[in-house]
Amino acid sequence: MGQKKIVIIGAGVVGCSTAYYLNKMGQRNITVIEQGPLFETGGSTSHAPGLVFQLGFSKVLTKLASQTVEAFKELSHEGQPSFYSVGSLEVANTQERLDDLKRKAGVSKSWGMETFILSPEECAQKNPLLNSDTIYGGLYVPSDGIAKPLRAVDQMAHFSKSCGTKFYGHTEVTDIEVVDDQVKAVETSAGRFEADLIICCAGFWGPRIGEMVGVTIPLQPIAHQYVFSNDLQELAAETEEVSMPIIRHQDSAMYYRQVFNGIGIGSYQHRPLPVEVSEITKYGEAKEMPSVKPFTPEDFEKPWEDAQELIPALKQAGVKRGINGIFSFTPDGMPLLGESQKVRGFWAAEAIWVTHSAGVGKEMAEWIVNGAPTLDLELCDINRFDTYAQSPAYYKKRSIENYEKVYDIHHPFMQPETSRDMRVSPYYMRQQSLGAYFNEKSGWEQPQWFEANDSLVATYEKSILDRKGWAAQYWSPIIEAEHLHTRQYAGLYDVTAVKKRLEISGEGALEFLQHLTTSTIDIPIGQVTSTLMLHELAGIKDEIKVIRTAASTFFVLCTGAVEASWIKKQVPVSSQVVIQDLTNGMCGLSVIGGKASEIMNSLDSQAFVKSEWEIGQAKEGFIGNVPVLAVYDSYAGTERWELFTTSDQGLKLWDVLFEAGRHYQIIAAGDRALESLRIESLSLRNGKDFWSEHNPYEVGLDHLVDLNKPTFIGKQALLDRKANGPNLLLTPLLLDDPSMVVMGYEPVFDEDKVAGFVTSAGYAYNFGKGIVYALLSPETVHKSSQLSIEYFGKRYTATRMTQSAVRAHQ
């Protein structure tokens, strides 16, 4: 990217970090606008307690936090550090929590962090204030600590100013000019600032800025309690602000840090205290800064009891003062990053805590300058929320629920409780009558399994692996019965929520798709092809399916809202290409299994005679009175007929297929069986087995790349990455213990060296063993066949599958 006029709204730690890294990457025409003073602005940066717990089950958040720590370590202000590397302790009050910390310690190895599981006595040695009698043990992370964001901001701003960046304090944004869906200028109390690109780093004021350009920023400000104790006798000799490890006590939803001779105590225990953006005062309009609400002592009564039990020295010290500080929460707990699909040039960096701040600034700068960030930020992309999630009724309730569960033990299949039934397919009433167990997928109510299939468990009982512990939570043996029955007979799967459905048409549609994808799209009408989209750095944006339905019309199936928005952004402003999102008006069903073709032939012996179809073929026609786009291909090593129709015809299509399939023992089957079939057959899934940090040669998708094409997005970068060789290789493994399954993201060891981590994990019935895909170092793949996987602190041996075994298995 060449030089652009960039305006950053917000001079907190996120805005200053973004300006800092943009300057480091050579951008020079940058203006930072702040409604409060510079640089204690009155936002969350000003009151944040600074605890940095880097490690989480989210890889991207862990990496952003690690980048923040590294950045802050390099920044000091007048000889004072911007980060104190005192380490952290997460302590467990229950065996369940201790087991979860062991799982977390495993994930730390997957993400490349050093951690240790400690006994209660070892925890007390690290932080002598702890009452070791109340805990089962803890997780120690040596590289965690305390951030001093205002010191870091001062140094970042100093560097940015030396590069020509201008900072304006006490300057309120009053409006943003948008012309033809492109930002043009920011109107402020200090005048007008022209802009090619605007970055909203306004924190919990972000929704107000978004409203100015018609972009929803779905975050909910919530007040959170933080208390300062009086001085402790045990800390009387301390001269440093902090020298002891910070503490997180998730079983009581609390955290602790030393503040010179006292303790800072944060609590998530209290009732949610949501704050409306319209209620937040401007700087100087109230006694406290805008990010602080009056303390509510009644909410701290139980937390104070728990605090004294964990740290007995607090009994004598007592409470000095407390605040209810405002932070931003989102429906899924992730930040809101990237350029809005609705308005070109309007970027957001919102709902970010100090923990991830500098990392976000770095990645945002790379994204803006290079066209893509180094880290995969799909889970943080502001465009991930479809229209269903734009309603305040949705995102406020879900964000509050996220606050309430922030310190819960989170299972990957735990379902949200609020803002449900937002999107239902036409088959919903039939699924309910069959006893569907629902979870949410992209806002859709998606059946996981059907209680109507409970009788099948006895039929397949000898084959079904009886899962235990963590793997048995949010699970039913019905899932496995549906999997096995599909293989033998047939399953009817609701695939409405599985993919986004786009129609791309108009003059230049073929040329557009040729430039967008890695393989040829100039296929015959009625043919289907799978291909990849790469970003500018040759990372995989998505594996998509393209169906050519007319000379200049293509039906495209992509993973979700982020991928769909990225496709739309690639259309040139002057292009005649039209992209229509058909997702809400269409529905899909898949008939999968050994009897699938017989079922289809029974519906129409002429239209669906198998000899008239080829794998990868699509035809428009009718099933009874229902118009369908029918696609014949394979899934998980067996036949699949994928059928799309309009939502008003969907229920009829279900009934016709279900009735025709009775003779062939068809069942309605859930999303978990569909995923289980995918994993067993070693089929890949975007976002699970690969993401935009990986290139096709690393994950075995190079057969979808045609380097003879004159050009496509990311081609030159792909050639460079191919020449440099892979950083990781996606590799299938079989667990040697036939009674074991794992869940994903566990570390893989080559002897005692971490070699990578698990992506997808399931059970392969044809082998009678657990099966996984793992991203491994190339040297491990080339030299080692015997590996091990750590699961809840224990090692289980696994064997790398040979290429011939993989081909035979698929």
Side-chain angles (χ1 to χ4, degrees):
M1 183 185 82
Q3 291 294 321
K4 298 276 189 179
K5 293 191 289 288
I6 299 174
V7 174
I8 296 174
I9 301 173
V13 66
V14 177
C16 287
S17 294
T18 305
Y20 174 70
Y21 283 105
L22 282 168
N23 277 296
K24 285 192 124 186
M25 296 188 72
Q27 290 298 307
R28 289 295 177 262
N29 198 341
I30 302 172
T31 302
V32 183
I33 297 170
E34 171 56 51
Q35 67 175 349
L38 301 173
F39 285 95
E40 192 166 352
T41 64
S44 298
T45 302
S46 305
H47 75 259
L51 291 84
V52 176
F53 294 93
Q54 300 167 82
L55 177 61
F57 292 105
S58 164
K59 177 177 181 286
V60 64
L61 290 185
T62 300
K63 293 296 184 182
L64 289 171
S66 297
Q67 290 180 355
T68 299
V69 168
E70 291 307 308
F72 280 21
K73 280 181 175 179
E74 295 174 1
L75 298 165
S76 61
H77 176 62
E78 296 179 355
Q80 294 294 307
S82 293
F83 190 79
Y84 292 93
S85 297
V86 294
S88 74
L89 282 167
E90 287 191 60
V91 295
N93 258 129
T94 65
Q95 185 61 49
E96 182 184 17
R97 179 69 68 178
L98 184 60
D99 290 342
D100 194 57
L101 292 180
K102 291 177 181 177
R103 182 171 71 100
K104 199 170 188 179
V107 168
S108 76
K109 300 179 180 74
S110 298
W111 305 159
M113 289 190 67
E114 183 182 45
T115 61
F116 302 91
I117 292 291
L118 303 183
S119 68
E121 293 74 24
E122 289 171 324
C123 289
Q125 288 172 9
K126 293 290 183 186
N127 192 320
L129 296 176
L130 280 172
N131 177 6
S132 61
D133 294 337
T134 67
I135 60 175
Y136 281 66
L139 175 68
Y140 178 58
V141 182
S143 59
D144 284 348
I146 293 293
K148 302 297 291 183
L150 291 177
R151 293 178 188 170
V153 161
D154 184 86
Q155 293 306 296
M156 289 174 172
H158 179 76
F159 174 80
S160 294
K161 287 176 182 177
S162 73
C163 296
T165 295
K166 293 181 171 55
F167 288 82
Y168 292 84
H170 296 292
T171 302
E172 183 180 358
V173 175
T174 56
D175 198 10
I176 295 175
E177 182 183 355
V178 177
V179 178
D180 295 329
D181 298 324
Q182 167 71 50
V183 299
K184 290 296 182 183
V186 180
E187 302 284 355
T188 77
S189 57
R192 172 187 169 91
F193 297 87
E194 292 188 355
D196 300 311
L197 193 148
I198 296 168
I199 310 171
C200 180
C201 304
F204 46 70
W205 285 288
R208 184 182 296 169
I209 302 298
E211 287 175 2
M212 295 179 184
V213 294
V215 172
T216 299
I217 296 181
L219 65 80
Q220 173 63 55
I222 299 179
H224 161 66
Q225 289 203 313
Y226 186 67
V227 162
F228 296 88
S229 78
N230 289 307
D231 290 354
L232 276 65
Q233 184 177 349
E234 291 80 355
L235 297 177
E238 287 285 352
T239 57
E240 293 288 335
E241 178 180 344
V242 57
S243 61
M244 307 175 77
I246 58 178
I247 300 169
R248 185 152 58 183
H249 190 203
Q250 298 196 77
D251 289 316
S252 64
M254 298 179 73
Y255 58 83
Y256 306 83
R257 60 152 295 183
Q258 176 192 349
V259 186
F260 291 104
N261 308 111
I263 299 292
I265 308 165
S267 169
Y268 287 98
Q269 235 187 82
H270 57 81
R271 61 196 166 93
L273 299 168
V275 180
E276 294 301 318
V277 176
S278 59
E279 299 173 357
I280 302 174
T281 60
K282 297 178 184 178
Y283 196 95
E285 291 182 347
K287 182 179 179 181
E288 293 277 9
M289 67 180 69
S291 60
V292 173
K293 302 292 283 186
F295 186 64
T296 50
E298 65 275 14
D299 289 309
F300 199 68
E301 291 176 1
K302 178 63 168 59
W304 180 240
E305 292 177 10
D306 291 346
Q308 293 173 89
E309 183 177 12
L310 184 69
I311 302 179
L314 289 170
K315 294 177 182 178
Q316 298 300 319
V319 173
K320 181 190 295 183
R321 66 183 181 92
I323 63 170
N324 285 1
I326 302 174
F327 292 90
S328 298
F329 283 77
T330 62
D332 58 4
M334 301 297 283
L336 303 167
L337 308 178
E339 184 182 20
S340 166
Q341 175 189 314
K342 294 179 68 175
V343 179
R344 294 187 305 277
F346 184 79
W347 290 69
E350 290 288 344
I352 300 151
W353 294 2
V354 169
T355 301
H356 311 106
S357 55
V360 165
K362 177 177 180 292
E363 296 297 327
M364 287 289 290
E366 291 177 355
W367 198 348
I368 289 167
V369 175
N370 296 335
T374 301
L375 289 180
D376 180 89
L377 298 179
E378 303 280 308
L379 295 175
C380 307
D381 196 305
I382 190 172
N383 301 298
R384 68 187 181 272
F385 296 113
D386 253 335
T387 52
Y388 73 91
Q390 302 297 311
S391 162
Y394 170 85
Y395 67 76
K396 288 178 180 291
K397 288 181 182 177
R398 187 63 66 81
S399 298
I400 291 169
E401 180 184 355
N402 183 46
Y403 173 89
E404 293 177 311
K405 294 180 175 179
V406 68
Y407 274 0
D408 286 1
I409 295 174
H410 293 271
H411 193 278
F413 291 110
M414 181 187 293
Q415 60 176 309
E417 298 172 9
T418 59
S419 299
R420 295 296 297 269
D421 298 331
M422 299 293 293
R423 301 170 110 178
V424 295
S425 75
Y427 329 120
Y428 185 60
M429 65 176 72
R430 297 289 186 264
Q431 294 163 346
Q432 285 180 309
S433 68
L434 293 170
Y437 177 87
F438 290 100
N439 204 337
E440 182 199 298
K441 188 171 190 174
S442 301
W444 296 94
E445 293 300 312
Q446 182 79 346
Q448 303 300 291
W449 65 83
F450 291 88
E451 291 297 332
N453 296 326
D454 183 55
S455 60
L456 294 177
V457 174
T459 303
Y460 299 103
E461 187 174 12
K462 292 183 180 179
S463 299
I464 292 174
L465 176 69
D466 184 22
R467 300 192 180 204
K468 296 179 174 63
W470 186 249
Q473 293 185 34
Y474 303 95
W475 174 86
S476 168
I478 296 172
I479 297 167
E480 316 300 323
E482 290 176 355
H483 171 142
L484 292 164
H485 190 84
T486 296
R487 282 252 185 254
Q488 187 171 356
Y489 298 102
L492 182 64
Y493 291 87
D494 179 359
V495 294
T496 303
V498 172
K499 296 285 186 181
K500 267 278 193 181
R501 295 171 287 281
L502 306 177
E503 183 181 81
I504 301 179
S505 61
E507 184 181 343
L510 173 60
E511 291 76 14
F512 169 70
L513 283 167
Q514 288 281 54
H515 179 65
L516 189 76
T517 62
T518 59
S519 53
T520 184
I521 306 300
D522 194 4
I523 55 178
I525 295 170
Q527 288 295 302
V528 184
T529 188
S530 291
T531 186
L532 301 176
M533 302 187 301
L534 308 182
H535 62 43
E536 288 81 350
L537 303 182
I540 302 172
K541 286 296 293 184
D542 199 6
E543 179 182 1
I544 64 173
K545 185 181 289 184
V546 180
I547 305 167
R548 193 172 194 173
T549 57
S552 297
T553 305
F554 300 84
F555 186 62
V556 174
L557 298 169
C558 64
T559 294
V562 170
E563 293 75 16
S565 71
W566 189 81
I567 292 172
K568 293 172 184 177
K569 286 176 188 174
Q570 307 313 307
V571 180
V573 175
S574 59
S575 174
Q576 299 300 307
V577 173
V578 176
I579 299 181
Q580 186 177 1
D581 190 338
L582 305 178
T583 306
N584 295 340
M586 292 189 75
C587 54
L589 288 170
S590 280
V591 181
I592 303 174
K595 301 291 184 181
S597 287
E598 292 180 55
I599 293 169
M600 297 303 296
N601 185 253
S602 73
L603 288 165
D604 189 327
S605 59
Q606 291 185 332
F608 294 106
V609 60
K610 187 175 174 180
S611 61
E612 297 296 318
W613 288 77
E614 298 176 357
I615 292 289
Q617 191 171 10
K619 296 180 183 179
E620 293 180 326
F622 290 88
I623 294 178
N625 295 325
V626 180
V628 297
L629 173 64
V631 179
Y632 175 56
D633 62 8
S634 63
Y635 185 85
T638 190
E639 291 182 323
R640 171 172 69 172
W641 294 84
E642 204 160 15
L643 307 161
F644 300 97
T645 190
T646 53
S647 293
D648 62 323
Q649 298 282 290
L651 186 59
K652 181 65 175 176
L653 179 62
W654 173 285
D655 289 343
V656 170
L657 290 170
F658 210 79
E659 185 59 35
R662 286 185 192 277
H663 178 70
Y664 302 93
Q665 300 189 49
I666 197 170
I667 60 168
D671 195 55
R672 295 283 291 279
L674 192 68
E675 178 72 349
S676 181
L677 285 162
R678 179 192 73 79
I679 295 169
E680 183 187 44
S681 67
L682 293 173
S683 300
L684 305 185
R685 186 178 123 201
N686 178 49
K688 184 65 176 176
D689 298 304
F690 61 88
W691 41 94
S692 66
E693 292 170 23
H694 310 118
N695 70 68
Y697 297 98
E698 294 176 318
V699 298
L701 291 175
D702 48 299
H703 62 284
L704 299 180
V705 177
D706 180 5
L707 291 177
N708 292 320
K709 285 181 69 172
T711 184
F712 54 80
I713 296 173
K715 182 180 178 181
Q716 185 55 55
L718 181 61
L719 290 170
D720 294 341
R721 290 177 73 163
K722 181 184 179 184
N724 292 332
N727 294 316
L728 293 167
L729 289 172
L730 190 63
T731 308
L733 310 173
L734 286 171
L735 287 154
D736 294 336
D737 183 343
S739 67
M740 272 301 299
V741 290
V742 297
M743 298 289 287
Y745 304 133
E746 296 85 1
V748 179
F749 286 83
D750 182 359
E751 296 180 347
D752 288 327
K753 180 183 177 183
V754 178
F757 60 90
V758 172
T759 59
S760 290
Y763 193 75
Y765 285 96
N766 49 353
F767 283 110
K769 292 182 177 181
I771 191 168
V772 306
Y773 256 128
L775 284 164
L776 303 176
S777 65
E779 53 268 32
T780 293
V781 173
H782 294 143
K783 79 177 182 68
S784 301
S785 61
Q786 198 66 40
L787 304 165
S788 62
I789 297 172
E790 183 178 308
Y791 185 64
F792 285 90
K794 296 181 179 179
R795 300 272 186 93
Y796 298 89
T797 57
T799 302
R800 180 170 57 85
M801 294 178 68
T802 63
Q803 287 300 314
S804 58
V806 172
R807 286 193 293 271
H809 186 57
Q810 293 175 323

